[in-house]
Amino acid sequence: MKMPKFIKRVFLLLAIMGPGLVTAFADNDAGGVATYSVAASKFGYQILITLIPITLVLFITQEIGVRIALASGKGLADLIRERYGVFISLIIFILVFIVNFGVVLQDISGLKSALQLFGLNYNIYLPLLLGLLFIFLVKSTYKKTERLFFLLILFYLSYFFSAILVKPDWGFIAKSIVIPQGKMSFNFIYTSVAVLGTTVTAWGQFVIASSIKDKRLTASDMKVEQFEVFAASIISNVFTMFMMVAVAATIFHNGLHIGDAAEAAVAIKPLAGDMAGILFGIGLLVAGFLGCAIVPLSTAYAFSELFGYEGSLNQGLQKSKFFYGFFVFQIVLAAIFVMQPKFSLFSFTLYADFLNSVILPVIFIFLYRFANNKDIMGKYKNTRMQNFILITCGVIISCAVVLGLLGGALHLK
Amino acid sequence: MLYFSELENKKVVTTDGIIIGRLDDLIFLLSGKPRLTKLVVHTQTGTLIISTESLQKFNKVVRISKYFVQTDLEENELYVKRNLMDKQIIDISGNKIVRANDVILQEQINLDSSSYECFVSGVDIGPLGILRRLRIENLVLKTLRLVGISIVSQFLSWGDIQPLDLMRGSITVRKEEAKLQNMRPEDLADHLEKTNEQNIKRFLNLLDNEFAVKVISSLNLNYQRDLFRTWKPEKSVAILEKMESDTAVDILLSLSKKRRMELVHIMDPAHKQAILNLLSLTKTPIGGRLSSEFFTASPTETVRSVTKRMRHETGEFVFLATVYVVNQKKQLIGVFNPHELILQDEDTPVYKFMTQNIVSAQLKTPLEVVVKKILKYRLPGIPVLDNNKQIVGIITFDGIADLIESQFNK
C-alpha cells in the first residue's frame, strides 16, 4: 500500500510539531486570559478586531526565532553569550529573571483563583500541583514533557464549549473580526496594546529556540517547523477569540465589570448557566498550569545557556542541577508570595509589564542581528523583505508595550 | 599563569614608551601545545596584527619592541577571543559540553635565549571565570571567605578540550585528530548532534576517513540525512562505500528517490550491485513482524536491580534473549544477554559489561536484510530503531523462522 503524499506530510508534521504549538498556547497563559477577559468585558466584540494583527505579529516574530534556532542549532541565549560576552549576558539574565518572575506570579495567582473557583483549598492543592509538575519535569524527557503540554492544550477546548454555551451572534463576530466596530478611544487603543503585549513575549523567544534544540530538530525540518508556527499562531488565537466571545456575549452584554479572569468565570455563571462558567474556570486552571510550567523553564534555559551549565529536559536532576534549581526557585518564591492571603497582584503586574517593555525591544535587536548574520544563518539569512517586516513588528510592539505601560500608569490613580 | 580577561584592553606600549593602542585579541597556533603567535591591537586608525616575536612581556601594560613586526593571519591559527572565549567546548575527559568563561595562558621564559613565549594552557569553565570577567572576582571571594565558603576554580587543560565551533573551514591539524580519535565514535556522534550541520561537517573534516565513517554511522538518521543531502555526490559515495552496506541502505532510503539513484549510479560496480540488491528488497515492510516484548535497563543500574526487575516484569514474556540498555533519552546504547548478566557480581553496573557494538535495523530496513543480519551475526533477535535511536520494537529469530524455513524447503 502506498501512502498518499498528503498523509505522509501530516505524519511528518505530527513528529516535528511541538515547540511552536506549545509556545503559542503558553502565550495564552493565566495572565493572557485575564487581559483578554478584561478587554472583552470593556469593549465586547469590538476587541475582536485585534485578533488578526496579533496573529500576524506572533507568527512573524516566532518564525524568526525558529529560523535562527534551526539554522544555528543553538538557543537564543547561547548566541547572546557567544556574540556579546559575559557582561551583556548577565544583564539579559537579570532582566529575563525578573520579567519571568512577574509572569510566574500572574500564572500562579491565576491558578490560585481557579482553585478557589472550584472550592479547593489552595494551601493544599497549589503546592501539590506545583510539586507534581516539578517531579514530572525532572523524571521525564523532552518528548514526554511535550506530551503533557499537548494534553493541557486539549483542555483549552473548554473555552470553545464555553463560547458555544453563551450562544453568541456568530455572524456579528465574523464581521467584528474583519471590520472595525464601535468608536475609537484612547482607552480602546491602550487595551488593544495590552492584548498585543501579553501575546508576544520575550520568554516565548527563549522557549521556542531552546525547545527546538532540546527536540534536536535540524535545518532540514525548517519548512515543517515554519508551517507549525504559522498554524499554531492561528489556532492559539482562535482560542483567544473563544475567550473573548464568552466574556463579550455575557459580561459586556449585561454591562458588568470584572477585574480578572476568575471574576469572569463567576460572572458568566448566572448569565449563561453554570456549565459555561465552570468551563471557563477549567480553562483558567489549565492556562495557569501551562504558564507555571513553561515560563520558569524559559528562565532555566536562559541561565544554563548564558552561563554554560548543562541544562536540558532530557537530563536528570543530577546532571542539570542549576537548570532545575532555577525552575524550582522561581516557582517556590512565587508560590510563597501568592499564598499570602493579602497578596495583591496589581503592583507586581505593573512592574513586570514595565520590564517587559524594556526587554522586548532588546530581544528584537538581538533577533535582527542574528537573523542577518551570515555566519549564523547561512542560506537562511533574512531577506530584505523579512527585515522590513521584522523591524515594523519590532517598532509596533515596542511602541505597544511602552504605550501600554503609560496607560497602565495612568490607570493607577 | 595569565588570564585572557585580564589582558584584554590593556595598553600596548613600545619599549620607548609610545602607546600603540589596546590589546583586542590574541592569535595562537592550533596544535598540541598552542603557542601565541600574534597580538591583535586596536589603534586609533585601525587594527594591527603584531607578531609575538616583538612581545617583551605582559605586565601592567603589554610591552612590545619598538621595532615591532606587523603580520597577517596564517593557516591553522585561531583567535583566543573570537574562537574560544564564551564558546562551547567539548570536555573530552568529562565527556560533556561546557562554556569557556576565560582562557588561561602560560608564560615561558627561556633564560638562555631570553626569548619570551606564551601558550594557551586551558580554559576556565567555572563560576570564578565569570566573576573575573565581571571584575568582581576578588570582591566575591573575600565576601564568601568571611562566611567560610570558598569557591574552587574549574580548569580544563588544553589536552582535554576541543572547541565545538571551529569557525574557519581552513583548519586541518593532525594533532587535533589524534585527540578526538581517543573518544568513542558513539560519544563524539552524541556531542555532534548537539551542534549544527556546519559544525558537524567541520569536525568530520578533522578526522581521518575511517574514524569519520564510524562517527557518521553513529549519528542519528536525521543528521545522516542532512549531511548526505548537502555533500557532493562523489563525497557521499566515497563515504557510503566505506560503511556497512546495511547502514548505507538505511541512509539512502532516507534521501529523495532522485538523490538516491544519483548516488547509486556513480558507485563503483561491486558496491552498486550490493546496494541495488538491498534496495530492491525494500518493498517488504517489517512492521508486521515487530514485537514490542523487550526488556530495557539503564547503564547505571546494578546487576542486582536488573535481575530483580527481570524476575518481576518479564514473567509474561514468551521470548527474552537480550537486555537492551538505553540512556535517559531512551536511546539504545548497549546490549547484553542473560548469560552475561548472571556471570557478574551483584553490584556491578550494567555499563561495565554491556556490548556497545550494536547490530540494529530501521523501520525502513527491508525484512530480507534483517533476516540476513540475524543469520550473519547469529543473533536471537535485533532491535529496530527510529530516527532518534530509540527502540520501536524487536524482531526475533522466532518471528522470522518461517521465512528461513520456507527457503530451506524450496
Side-chain angles (χ1 to χ4, degrees), chain A residues 19-66:
Chain A
L21 195 67
V22 171
T23 315
F25 266 90
D27 283 325
N28 287 347
D29 64 348
V33 178
T35 311
Y36 304 141
S37 307
V38 174
S41 78
K42 276 190 193 158
F43 297 101
Y45 294 140
Q46 193 188 354
I47 200 72
L48 294 177
I49 195 71
T50 55
L51 282 173
I52 292 177
I54 60 174
T55 307
L56 278 176
V57 173
L58 183 65
F59 166 64
I60 288 160
T61 52
Q62 295 286 62
E63 189 273 339
I64 298 247
V66 162

Side-chain angles (χ1 to χ4, degrees), chain A residues 71-74 78 81-82 85-87 90 141 143 216 218 220 305 307-310 314-316, chain B residues 86-88 96-97 99-101 127 130 133-134 165 190 193-194 196 223 225-226 229 328-329 390:
Chain A
S72 66
K74 287 175 182 160
D78 277 328
R81 170 71 194 269
E82 287 180 17
V86 172
F87 192 65
L90 185 71
T141 57
K143 227 178 192 172
R216 301 203 169 178
T218 65
S220 67
E305 288 174 15
F307 301 112
Y309 289 94
E310 296 229 358
N314 291 324
Q315 290 172 340
Chain B
D86 295 322
K87 301 295 182 285
Q88 286 181 312
K96 60 184 179 188
I97 292 182
R99 212 175 266 288
N101 291 334
I130 292 178
R133 298 274 296 283
L134 298 170
D165 267 311
D190 202 39
E193 284 173 4
K194 286 182 188 142
N196 62 3
Y223 287 86
R225 184 189 57 200
D226 288 0
R229 264 189 200 162
Q328 279 179 337
K329 281 163 255 158
Q390 297 177 343

Side-chain angles (χ1 to χ4, degrees), chain A residues 36 40 43 174 210 228 243 296 387-388:
Chain A
Y36 304 141
F43 297 101
S210 304
E228 191 208 343
M243 292 171 209
N387 271 336
F388 174 73

Side-chain angles (χ1 to χ4, degrees), chain A residues 105-165:
Chain A
L105 274 178
Q106 287 178 349
D107 282 323
I108 295 195
S109 78
L111 203 54
K112 173 182 154 187
S113 17
L115 288 170
Q116 282 172 314
L117 272 182
F118 295 107
L120 298 169
N121 183 347
Y122 63 82
N123 282 319
I124 300 169
Y125 286 93
L126 196 57
L128 190 74
L129 271 179
L130 297 175
L132 285 176
L133 174 67
F134 175 66
I135 293 171
F136 182 85
L137 289 184
V138 171
K139 289 281 170 204
S140 67
T141 57
Y142 174 79
K143 227 178 192 172
K144 272 195 198 153
T145 311
E146 194 179 80
R147 280 191 205 132
L148 172 76
F149 292 158
F150 284 157
L151 187 74
L152 289 176
I153 287 173
L154 271 187
F155 277 94
Y156 272 81
L157 280 173
S158 64
Y159 287 115
F160 165 72
F161 292 114
S162 188
I164 297 276
L165 285 176

Side-chain angles (χ1 to χ4, degrees), chain B residues 189-222:
Chain B
D190 202 39
H191 285 315
L192 292 181
E193 284 173 4
K194 286 182 188 142
T195 155
N196 62 3
E197 190 187 306
Q198 274 176 323
N199 268 325
I200 296 184
K201 283 194 202 157
R202 286 191 190 119
F203 254 94
L204 292 174
N205 283 337
L206 282 180
L207 307 171
D208 79 36
N209 281 338
E210 216 164 288
F211 190 71
V213 168
K214 276 189 202 156
V215 173
I216 297 168
S217 303
S218 303
L219 285 170
N220 78 36
L221 198 56
N222 282 333

Side-chain angles (χ1 to χ4, degrees), chain B residues 245-246 248-255 257 259-265 267 271-284 364-366 368-369:
Chain B
S245 51
D246 312 335
V249 166
D250 283 341
I251 293 174
L252 283 168
L253 281 173
S254 73
L255 300 171
K257 192 169 178 190
R259 178 86 181 166
R260 187 190 315 152
M261 291 335 282
E262 184 188 0
L263 295 183
V264 174
H265 192 70
M267 284 186 166
H271 282 100
K272 186 173 173 179
Q273 203 47 51
I275 296 277
L276 277 176
N277 277 341
L278 289 176
L279 280 175
S280 69
L281 299 173
T282 58
K283 311 289 181 301
T284 340
K364 275 192 181 164
T365 312
E368 286 81 351
V369 173

